[in-house]
Amino acid sequence: MAEKNYYDILGVKKDASDADIKKKYRKLVRQYHPDVSDDPDADNKIAEINNAYETLRDKDKRSEYDAMLDNPFAGQAGAGGFGGFGGQSTGAQGGFRWEDIKDQFGDGEAFGGGGFRFDDIFSAFGRGARGSAGQSAGGPSGFDQFGGGFGQDSKGQDQHAEISVDLASVYSGDDYSIKLNVPVRQPNGSVGYENKTLKIKIPKGITDGKQIRLAGQGAAGIGGGKNGDLFLKVTITAADNIRLEGANVYQTVNITPWEAALGEKINVTTPAGKLGVTIPSNSKSGSNLRLKGKGIPAKQAGDLYLTLNIVNPEVTTDEAKQAYEQLKQAFAHTSISR
């Protein structure tokens, strides 16, 4: 049977819009990400998905691919698939043996059946071997079936990983070191993998979910082409009493009943440093104090919201019990809706 074409791999129609293709691609990447998928063939599937998307996302490559699907016998030198090229022994890029090409393309049906021009066969190896995206800059996944699409683009595949950074680093900017298994080009032209420590500068003010681009740290190129890039998605970690909404920071702060009732100035340790804050009198639990510009120092700085939480001291002594009794008497006529 002929292998699925790129549209089949992504599960879209041939006339699908760029937006639909991108949406379906992202869905499939989340489904088959090697870190979350239980599918034993997740690495190969994600590589196949990436390969299809690399072609269909590019207007020129997609047009060329569509033309090949519409006329798979164009330029055929002999009937029956690759029959007209039986005497060839090496390829135009990287010295592939004819047997290697035949193994990759089977009976000439890798693009939906039929034969190809000899140039088309070798242009399909445009990017060579690479790891699959989202693999924590992962390990080898084998030679991609179509190597990255059509034409002579020899740039290596971009790769994606995640990095966790603490909130304090986001406020100040910081240096991190991470260890990755990165692709490297061997002297014989093949792709190998080695452990590598990369030093990363965490940009001051970066927000949760944003990416850091490391040029040239992705998969190795082929034929002298540039390496792909490595994109690190930033996940910000913070204390349990802190949550983030974009550049805004929400921090829960415990206060005493008298601080809430009387209004007092307190010192609070925040991601922006130790700050003196005045509690308005008659404050209630759950109310927010907004400190403008004290959130994540992004290009447009966020705000810091202190969410007040009134904590009643425990009664552990007779004096404490007496104090509560006096408080009860002082507010005997207070009416509370329940």
Side-chain angles (χ1 to χ4, degrees):
M1 293 178 61
E3 297 187 32
K4 295 188 294 185
N5 63 45
Y6 289 162
Y7 294 101
D8 293 335
I9 290 171
L10 295 182
V12 296
K13 295 181 179 180
K14 191 177 178 183
D15 59 355
S17 66
D18 292 342
D20 288 340
I21 290 174
K22 185 176 183 179
K23 181 178 180 181
K24 194 59 180 286
Y25 166 73
R26 288 181 173 178
K27 180 178 180 181
L28 291 173
V29 167
R30 288 194 296 269
Q31 179 180 351
Y32 291 107
H33 191 297
D35 292 341
V36 299
S37 176
D38 294 330
D39 192 317
D41 199 34
D43 284 343
N44 290 332
K45 286 184 178 179
I46 204 74
E48 185 180 54
I49 291 164
N50 285 330
N51 199 44
Y53 182 62
E54 284 298 312
T55 294
L56 299 186
R57 70 183 293 191
D58 185 283
K59 181 178 179 181
D60 294 335
K61 290 180 182 180
R62 183 178 179 182
S63 178
E64 186 176 350
Y65 180 61
D66 287 345
M68 181 172 289
L69 286 179
D70 292 338
N71 190 15
F73 294 95
Q76 181 177 343
F82 296 126
F85 305 115
Q88 298 291 344
S89 60
T90 59
Q93 297 185 47
F96 297 106
R97 296 177 302 144
W98 169 249
E99 289 81 1
D100 295 332
I101 299 170
K102 186 176 180 182
D103 289 341
Q104 289 290 332
F105 287 89
D107 294 324
E109 295 180 330
F111 294 108
F116 303 92
R117 291 176 297 127
F118 197 65
D119 291 341
D120 291 335
I121 298 170
F122 285 103
S123 69
F125 290 91
R127 295 187 180 177
R130 63 186 180 218
S132 52
Q135 229 183 327
S136 298
S141 61
F143 193 90
D144 283 355
Q145 188 175 18
F146 305 120
F150 303 94
Q152 300 303 316
D153 184 3
S154 59
K155 182 176 180 291
Q157 170 78 5
D158 292 339
Q159 295 195 330
H160 300 263
E162 293 188 4
I163 180 173
S164 294
V165 302
D166 59 73
L167 185 57
S169 297
V170 172
Y171 267 80
S172 61
D174 206 351
D175 295 323
Y176 273 65
S177 293
I178 61 172
K179 292 183 178 181
L180 298 172
N181 193 26
V182 298
V184 292
R185 179 68 60 184
Q186 305 295 335
N188 64 0
S190 64
V191 175
Y193 288 79
E194 67 177 21
N195 292 322
K196 185 175 182 179
T197 300
L198 299 178
K199 291 185 177 180
I200 302 167
K201 177 68 177 179
I202 303 300
K204 179 179 178 179
I206 193 168
T207 52
D208 194 63
K210 296 293 185 181
Q211 295 189 110
I212 299 173
R213 174 176 171 264
L214 302 181
Q217 298 297 339
I222 192 171
K226 294 181 180 180
N227 288 358
D229 300 330
L230 173 61
F231 291 88
L232 295 176
K233 181 180 178 181
V234 173
T235 299
I236 299 175
T237 59
D240 292 340
N241 66 327
I242 292 177
R243 65 182 175 88
L244 306 177
E245 289 187 7
N248 293 330
V249 178
Y250 291 79
Q251 177 177 345
T252 300
V253 176
N254 294 331
I255 60 174
T256 63
W258 51 90
E259 288 170 338
L262 303 177
E264 294 190 13
K265 186 172 182 178
I266 63 173
N267 292 321
V268 182
T269 300
T270 74
K274 182 166 285 189
L275 303 176
V277 180
T278 299
I279 306 297
S281 59
N282 294 317
S283 291
K284 295 178 174 57
S285 275
S287 58
N288 288 316
L289 303 183
R290 178 185 175 217
L291 304 182
K292 186 176 181 180
K294 295 298 184 180
I296 293 177
K299 186 175 182 180
Q300 183 174 350
D303 298 330
L304 172 62
Y305 293 86
L306 299 181
T307 303
L308 302 180
N309 179 48
I310 300 175
V311 178
N312 294 312
E314 294 183 0
V315 177
T316 58
T317 64
D318 290 338
E319 289 79 4
K321 183 176 180 180
Q322 184 178 1
Y324 271 107
E325 289 289 350
Q326 292 174 349
L327 183 65
K328 178 181 177 181
Q329 293 176 13
F331 292 92
H333 299 293
T334 300
S335 177
I336 297 178
S337 299
R338 304 184 189 280

